Amino acid sequence: MIFLKTEDEIELLRQSNLLVGKTLAEVAKLVKPGVTTRELDKVAEEFIRDHGATPTFKGFPNQYGEPFPASLCTSVNEQVVHGIPGDIVLKDGDIVSVDCGTYMNGFCGDSAYTFCVGEVDEEIRNLLKVTKEALYIGIQNAVQGKRIGDIGYAIQQYCESHSYGVVREFVGHGIGKEMHEDPQVPNYGKRGYGPLMKRGLCIAIEPMITLGDRQVIMESDGWTVRTRDRKCAAHFEHTIAVGAGEADILSSFKFIEEVLGDKAI
């Protein structure tokens, strides 16, 4: 069932999502060679709790195994999504996709950003650039009167025009009092298909795009998803609210990019 949000509920969602953006900015300060993904997670959890919220990912149930053990998903290089923070040491030339969720005032926040670690090859930087651009192209199609398939179609066409793979198995989603609500929001699809978007619909749009083949496999931990061909993948995500005109972006990359400066994608 799709739950449309009131203006007051959208403002509560905005607060949770802005906290996600600020948390990712704290992470951005630490992303460099020699840092472990566990260190990123520790800083993020402390920041979230210090601001009166809880990390929604920690303890999230898993049909394939144990609940998620951390506050961030940190997916390095060929890892697409749901990477578990741990003893992985970031190296010069790596990329790391950091997905963060918060719960505050009864509503969830959810956003993701892929960071460069040190000096990254131009081929990989271009993957990140196109994935981020695809996110905003998807958002441009999240308007009242269009359908969910219009978002996926726009993202798919843009990414495939650059010869990138568009992951099918993992998609965006509705968001509100629960982190995952209806409808699902694929990054592929057909124009004019899927649920009709109405004012008050709040969704997380999150392109997951691969440098090579779109096929993915799940690692033995039951969480980490990586590309089958072990080529890199990028992941950017915003939570938005559908309005009468253009979408209202509730999350923010502004805080991240203030930290990154001219190193931002």
Side-chain angles (χ1 to χ4, degrees):
M1 181 179 292
I2 296 173
F3 298 100
L4 301 180
K5 310 304 188 293
T6 66
E7 290 186 9
D8 287 344
E9 289 173 329
I10 288 171
E11 290 310 308
L12 291 171
L13 270 164
R14 192 189 312 278
Q15 290 177 27
S16 293
N17 278 282
L18 289 177
L19 178 58
V20 173
K22 292 175 182 177
T23 303
L24 289 173
E26 293 300 305
V27 171
K29 295 174 184 177
L30 297 176
V31 173
K32 60 185 178 181
V35 173
T36 67
T37 53
R38 192 189 312 278
E39 291 175 90
L40 303 182
D41 187 70
K42 182 176 184 294
V43 166
E45 180 169 357
E46 289 177 356
F47 189 83
I48 291 167
R49 295 191 187 280
D50 285 349
H51 285 79
T54 56
T56 46
F57 295 176
K58 194 161 193 178
F60 197 81
N62 180 9
Q63 60 180 319
Y64 304 111
E66 296 297 317
F68 196 75
S71 299
L72 296 177
C73 296
T74 54
S75 305
V76 180
N77 295 332
E78 72 271 18
Q79 295 175 348
V80 182
V81 285
H82 305 159
I84 299 174
D87 296 328
I88 294 176
V89 179
L90 298 177
K91 304 185 303 297
D92 188 62
D94 284 348
I95 57 172
V96 56
S97 299
V98 183
D99 195 352
C100 179
T102 61
Y103 182 80
M104 182 171 67
N105 298 324
F107 286 87
C108 296
D110 192 7
S111 183
Y113 197 95
T114 302
F115 296 94
C116 293
V117 183
E119 296 298 321
V120 173
D121 288 346
E122 190 63 29
E123 180 185 41
I124 307 300
R125 286 186 63 87
N126 194 58
L127 170 68
L128 271 57
K129 177 176 177 289
V130 169
T131 304
K132 186 181 176 188
E133 290 169 348
L135 169 61
Y136 287 101
I137 288 170
I139 291 170
Q140 288 171 7
N141 285 272
V143 296
Q144 183 174 246
K146 286 199 169 191
R147 293 187 178 272
I148 290 294
D150 295 318
I151 297 173
Y153 176 84
I155 292 171
Q156 180 182 5
Q157 293 301 305
Y158 187 69
C159 293
E160 289 184 349
S161 74
H162 289 81
S163 300
Y164 296 143
V166 179
V167 172
R168 304 291 200 273
E169 292 83 357
F170 297 88
V171 299
H173 51 88
I175 187 169
K177 293 181 178 179
E178 301 292 334
M179 186 168 66
H180 293 149
E181 296 183 353
D182 291 333
Q184 291 192 341
V185 186
N187 297 304
Y188 60 94
K190 295 182 179 180
R191 286 184 293 192
Y193 283 75
L196 182 69
M197 287 181 277
K198 299 178 181 179
R199 188 170 185 168
L201 175 68
C202 294
I203 54 177
I205 301 174
E206 48 179 321
M208 289 159 270
I209 309 301
T210 65
L211 185 62
D213 193 286
R214 68 175 176 84
Q215 300 298 326
V216 298
I217 65 171
M218 183 175 288
E219 299 280 21
S220 59
D221 61 22
W223 280 107
T224 307
V225 176
R226 68 161 176 84
T227 57
R228 185 178 63 180
D229 60 13
R230 294 193 177 273
K231 292 186 178 181
C232 285
H235 179 203
F236 287 86
E237 176 183 17
H238 270 316
T239 292
I240 66 100
V242 174
E246 65 182 26
D248 183 3
I249 302 176
L250 305 179
S251 49
S252 177
F253 292 158
K254 178 185 74 171
F255 310 109
I256 300 166
E257 291 170 355
E258 286 174 353
V259 172
L260 297 178
D262 59 7
K263 294 182 179 179
I265 294 298

